[in-house]
Every structure is written in structure tokens, then in C-alpha cells.
Amino acid sequence: MRRDDVVVDIMKKAITTQSYKEVFIMFDEYTPLMKVGLLQRCLANGKARLDAELSLQKGCPHYQKCWPQDTLFWSLCRRIPDVLQSWCKACQLEFKNAKRKSA
């Protein structure tokens, strides 16, 4: 069984036992649960990847870097299906500071 399939199976079990909007809480930061179909699409199109040490990661399109998919690195956005902003917190802050300096 491939590692991607194992993660999908774990997510399926988590989703069937609790609402997908519930989260795993760890050290005041948390990883929002994704629906299985969304997780599979994100892995297939390269927007997410699995890392042996850091588990599920999300790619930031601004600098093309991947960060763990949790609220330590990403701000919440309920309009996006995976409920995390498309840019990481570091890129958002850099953009905000550059915009402030240019004004």
C-alpha cells in the first residue's frame, strides 16, 4: 500500500468518526481536516504533498515552498475548501510590509 493511500485511509476514518470541520489540536496550533476527495485532488495536482517527517504539507505559490498544513504556517480562510489561505503567513506579512513601505 502506498503512503498516499495510507494517509487517505486515516483521513477517511477520522472523517467517519467525527465531523470534517473538527480538528486535531496540538500545542494551540491545529491542522484542519480535509474531505477525502479534496485531499486526493490536492495530492494529485501538486498543491499538497506528503513528507515522512512533517506529514501533510501545502505549497505556497508565492515562493514555491511547502510548509506543514497547519495554523502555525497558514491563516484561516473559510472560503477556500481546505480552509487555509493560499499564501503562507510569511509571504502575507512580506507583501503587507512591502505595500506599507510603498505607500
Side-chain angles (χ1 to χ4, degrees):
M1 185 176 249
R2 292 183 354 197
R3 186 171 48 156
D4 294 353
D5 296 333
V6 171
V7 170
V8 169
D9 287 342
I10 291 169
M11 294 299 288
K12 281 181 184 176
K13 289 176 186 172
I15 290 170
T16 57
T17 58
Q18 52 186 307
S19 168
Y20 76 92
K21 291 185 179 181
E22 290 182 28
V23 294
F24 294 113
I25 298 176
M26 181 177 200
F27 305 114
D28 294 330
E29 303 296 335
Y30 64 92
T31 301
L33 293 176
M34 295 170 61
K35 290 183 179 179
V36 175
L38 178 60
L39 176 61
Q40 290 172 334
R41 283 195 310 272
C42 289
L43 290 171
N45 66 21
K47 290 185 178 181
R49 70 177 187 183
L50 291 172
D51 185 272
E53 294 178 12
L54 300 173
S55 68
L56 185 62
Q57 295 186 344
K58 180 177 176 171
C60 179
H62 192 240
Y63 283 123
Q64 283 77 39
K65 288 193 175 188
C66 288
W67 302 106
Q69 188 164 335
D70 60 30
T71 57
L72 179 63
F73 296 94
W74 304 93
S75 299
L76 293 174
C77 180
R78 299 288 179 203
R79 293 175 292 158
I80 297 175
D82 69 0
V83 300
L84 298 172
Q85 291 281 346
S86 57
W87 282 18
C88 65
K89 286 182 177 181
C91 291
Q92 288 177 1
L93 182 63
E94 184 178 309
F95 178 76
K96 184 178 175 181
N97 288 339
K99 190 174 177 181
R100 187 177 296 149
K101 285 181 184 178
S102 67

